[in-house]
Amino acid sequence: MSRISAMLIAIVAVLVMSTAAFAGPTVIKLAHPNVPQHPMGQAFEKFKELVETRTDGKFRVDIYDSSKFGNFDAVVQGLQFNMLQMGSASTPNLAPFSDDFLIFDLPFLFPTYESADLITDGPIGMTAAKALEKTGIIGLGYIEIGFRNLWNNQRTVKTLEDAKGLKIRSTPSKAHIATLKGLGINPTPISWGEVYTALQQKTVDGIDIDLNLAWHNNFPEVNNNLTIVNSLYSPHLVMMSKRFLDSLDDADKVIILEAFEEAKLYERKLIRDGEKEIMAKLADKGVTVYTLTPEERARWAEATKGVYSQFEKRIGKDLIERAKATIAAGK
């Protein structure tokens, strides 16, 4: 009987090992809204490489770029039910989870990328991210889109007066719309998938968007004037399914979280270095570039002060003052 038992145990062990081998790697489905060549897409490819290499193939990362997994609601639901393990979303979309995310909708708050890092990586940004936990989502940290600038196909904008009356594509964000209105611009919300056609057909005069998104979506082909304004800073929160994170053993958890941290810093570097490279190429695309003087930019900031009073109640005056103090202390 002991010999038979030993044989049965051996057979079961072989079956278990065969089943494990057949099961293959654990798949991490990762969704984001950008094209693969954008720094965001490149950073998630970096994350994929790091995770798969450091776990010796125990995990496989499948990337769903360009919103192929679905819209924001699909990403959130996917994360909550662990049908999706990771996803990225812009902070205006996350405001229903916490009004703290609206701090990033305030115009001319951040003078530099380094000042934005103080908020995203500090208590303010991470407290906002923590609000998602009760819904089954973990906010890992922030990557970025960049600072918004004014593109148009009508004229070179050098002053506040030059911008007045331009019909500019905006996001649906109430703060973004209020910012453009404060500048005397006519904001026109258009869904992302229709933006290029709207610019090409001159349904709108231009768009308020960062350099990398404009470049990687070929907007310089249809907008020949660019004014560097650096009005609104746009971050993305990278999220993970809490159910998935809780299922990991400590060693795998460390590998995956460290890989994200490396990919996060890599993405930010690509965004910031990419802006310098894009600026050097715009003349060849026939784009006229003008950078607002510090004095003129101060006028634009003054013109949009009403956005602060409009959203102060929702965001909280204390939070706005803490953000300003954090930025001032970090200079």
Side-chain angles (χ1 to χ4, degrees), residues 7-319:
M7 289 177 63
L8 287 172
I9 291 170
I11 291 170
V12 170
V14 169
L15 288 172
V16 169
M17 287 188 290
S18 298
T19 301
F22 181 75
T26 298
V27 176
I28 300 174
K29 293 180 181 178
L30 190 161
H32 72 90
N34 265 312
V35 292
Q37 62 268 31
H38 186 274
M40 183 182 292
Q42 293 182 58
F44 284 133
E45 287 291 343
K46 180 75 169 177
F47 173 80
K48 171 183 171 71
E49 175 192 338
L50 292 172
V51 169
E52 292 179 353
T53 301
R54 292 174 182 177
T55 63
D56 295 321
K58 181 179 178 180
F59 290 87
R60 189 184 83 219
V61 179
D62 290 350
I63 298 175
Y64 296 79
D65 59 71
S66 309
S67 298
K68 289 172 184 171
F69 188 86
N71 61 16
F72 170 72
D73 290 336
V75 169
V76 168
Q77 291 171 13
L79 291 167
Q80 289 172 330
F81 292 102
N82 200 26
M83 296 166 59
L84 180 70
Q85 287 67 56
M86 290 181 67
S88 171
S90 64
T91 51
N93 282 329
L94 296 168
F97 295 98
S98 172
D99 286 339
D100 287 1
F101 286 112
L102 292 173
I103 195 72
F104 298 108
D105 280 6
L106 295 176
F108 301 97
L109 177 62
F110 303 101
T112 63
Y113 277 119
E114 291 72 24
S115 65
D117 292 344
L118 295 172
I119 302 301
T120 55
D121 296 341
I124 292 175
M126 297 317 295
T127 297
K130 197 170 180 61
L132 294 165
E133 288 188 24
K134 60 180 178 290
T135 69
I137 298 172
I138 301 295
L140 298 181
Y142 299 84
I143 53 178
E144 65 193 10
I145 296 295
F147 281 101
R148 290 186 179 275
N149 298 295
L150 186 62
W151 300 75
N152 86 93
N153 54 32
Q154 293 295 313
R155 54 185 176 268
T156 302
V157 173
K158 297 182 179 181
T159 67
L160 197 57
E161 289 72 24
D162 294 334
K164 290 188 185 302
L166 286 174
K167 190 176 182 181
I168 299 296
R169 183 266 177 181
S170 72
T171 67
S173 163
K174 291 181 179 179
H176 189 199
I177 291 170
T179 296
L180 293 178
K181 283 183 176 179
L183 297 172
I185 288 169
N186 180 12
T188 308
I190 295 174
S191 64
W192 181 246
E194 299 172 3
V195 169
Y196 185 90
T197 301
L199 293 170
Q200 187 179 45
Q201 296 178 350
K202 299 189 177 181
T203 305
V204 289
D205 297 322
I207 186 170
D208 182 45
I209 201 168
D210 69 285
L211 290 171
N212 278 279
L213 270 180
W215 181 262
H216 292 293
N217 286 277
N218 301 316
F219 292 164
E221 295 176 354
V222 288
N223 270 207
N224 59 0
N225 291 290
L226 166 64
T227 302
I228 301 299
V229 181
N230 291 342
S231 56
L232 289 159
Y233 171 75
S234 301
H236 261 233
L237 180 67
V238 179
M239 304 166 288
M240 179 170 280
S241 166
K242 186 176 186 301
R243 193 180 302 180
F244 172 70
L245 188 62
D246 290 346
S247 73
L248 301 175
D249 63 38
D250 289 343
D252 290 336
K253 192 177 292 187
V254 167
I255 289 172
I256 288 172
L257 294 180
E258 285 184 349
F260 165 69
E261 284 296 317
E262 290 184 37
K264 176 186 80 174
L265 297 178
Y266 177 70
E267 195 268 355
R268 291 182 187 176
K269 188 174 191 306
L270 287 178
I271 286 284
R272 299 168 195 190
D273 289 349
E275 289 189 347
K276 299 169 189 172
E277 295 170 9
I278 290 165
M279 287 286 283
K281 297 174 182 176
L282 286 173
D284 292 337
K285 292 286 185 179
V287 177
T288 300
V289 181
Y290 180 80
T291 301
L292 292 182
T293 65
E295 295 78 15
E296 185 62 26
R297 188 173 184 271
R299 290 185 69 214
W300 289 48
E302 182 67 27
T304 58
K305 274 190 173 180
V307 180
Y308 284 72
S309 56
Q310 185 176 339
F311 290 89
E312 184 180 272
K313 188 173 181 180
R314 281 192 65 186
I315 299 171
K317 186 175 182 179
D318 176 66
L319 180 59

